[in-house]
Amino acid sequence: MVFKRLLGAIGVGGPSVDTVLDGGAVLPGGPLSGRVLLRGGGTVVEVEHIGLELMARVEAEHEEGESEGAVVFERFTVGGGFRLGEQEERELPFSVPLPWETPVTELYGQPLGIVLGVRTEVAVAGARDKGDLDPLAVRPLPVQEAVLEALGQLGFGFHSADLEYGRIGGTGQQLPFYQEIELTPAPQYAHAVNEIELTFLSSPTGSEVVLEADKRGGLFSSGHDALTRFVVRHEDAATLDWNTEVDGWIRQLTEHREAYGTHAAYGHGESHPVHDSGHHRSGPGLGTAVAAGAAGLAVGVVGGMVAAEVVDEIGDFFEDDEEED
């Protein structure tokens, strides 16, 4: 355990805090559990509030270019209203629900370069102070994994992933940012698109799958973006032939003659509706395309991004946050 003494607002000699998350990656919409450990300082204090903040490193586009910053996307109260004695140690277990749109940070155990953190806040005598910041690992929901696995089996490769500040018009997006997974095209689509960008917007009932294609220009036409959306239910994860399903999505996307929306719909306050193809169902009993240990996009993760670089980026995020505190 590594306690962080709260000095800034509470004063020298105040209590210290350490938050320990239960091991393993969690699911969007699932529980995040752990313990907040408090250790008293040199005096007795009244602990008024203990909270958790979920933070993300997010990119924002603006007229001057692009910048990065930390965004708090959820807050929870996990304790408070008690007296902490001198050198007293107290443990507060917690279990809180993650937002359904919480970004995915890993696929088959491989990091995607998305950085999330859980920060602890303690309020004593009217003053609030920030505690430690712990990395948060999130794995995909079964229906998300099914889509990603199908894309990998169809020949698409992982290029990069990031979080973009803004909203996608015409969707049910709840968070102030969205995750964008950039994929290199499968050989059979390389003539039509330069890349495909994938976004999941999940809810208790399922996921909106937003696909954007950077389409190549032809002899008599220039390149443009095509944007479309599909809706899948959580229970579809184990019943659809996902390779056929997703291939149909890509064909529909690449065959669009006009763009349903452009990248301007992402992050500049404009509202461009996206095409909604609803539920596309294959016959039951076809099984699932998700197989344990399948290579799929996981191979692309390793090939497209060096693990050490991902670790450095995550380390930089948490070090920068500590310096700001």
Side-chain angles (χ1 to χ4, degrees), residues 95-241:
S95 180
V96 296
L98 288 179
W100 282 95
E101 290 181 14
T102 300
V104 174
T105 67
E106 64 176 50
L107 177 60
Y108 303 122
Q110 297 290 337
L112 299 179
I114 300 298
V115 181
L116 303 180
V118 180
R119 185 163 65 180
T120 310
E121 181 183 70
V122 180
V124 174
R128 294 175 181 266
D129 210 338
K130 305 296 184 183
D132 57 351
L133 181 64
D134 297 281
L136 175 62
V138 182
R139 68 183 191 274
L141 292 162
V143 71
Q144 296 172 331
E145 190 174 85
V147 172
L148 291 168
E149 172 63 19
L151 286 165
Q153 292 191 11
L154 289 170
F156 289 86
F158 175 86
H159 180 262
S160 64
D162 57 21
L163 303 181
E164 298 282 346
Y165 189 79
R167 297 185 181 276
I168 304 177
T171 69
Q173 182 182 344
Q174 299 295 312
L175 295 184
F177 58 85
Y178 55 91
Q179 182 173 16
E180 197 170 71
I181 300 174
E182 296 184 7
L183 306 171
T184 57
Q188 63 270 32
Y189 293 108
H191 68 284
V193 297
N194 294 307
E195 69 175 13
I196 286 181
E197 296 171 346
L198 165 69
T199 296
F200 292 112
L201 299 173
S202 296
S203 71
T205 58
S207 282
E208 292 180 79
V209 183
V210 182
L211 294 170
E212 182 180 15
D214 177 14
K215 300 187 70 174
R216 298 184 187 276
L219 184 60
F220 301 105
S221 63
S222 59
H224 64 272
D225 291 341
L227 188 68
T228 189
R229 180 186 67 178
F230 303 88
V231 181
V232 293
R233 304 177 306 175
H234 292 302
E235 56 264 39
D236 292 336
T239 61
L240 293 185
D241 177 354

Side-chain angles (χ1 to χ4, degrees), residues 20 28 35 40 50-51 53 69 81 108 114 135 137 141-142 149 199 212 219 221 238 242 265 275 280-281 301 316 325:
V20 180
R35 298 166 292 149
I50 300 175
E53 295 179 336
Y108 303 122
I114 300 298
L141 292 162
E149 172 63 19
T199 296
E212 182 180 15
L219 184 60
S221 63
W242 283 102
H275 179 64
H280 292 258
R281 308 197 183 283
V301 172
D316 291 343
D325 289 343

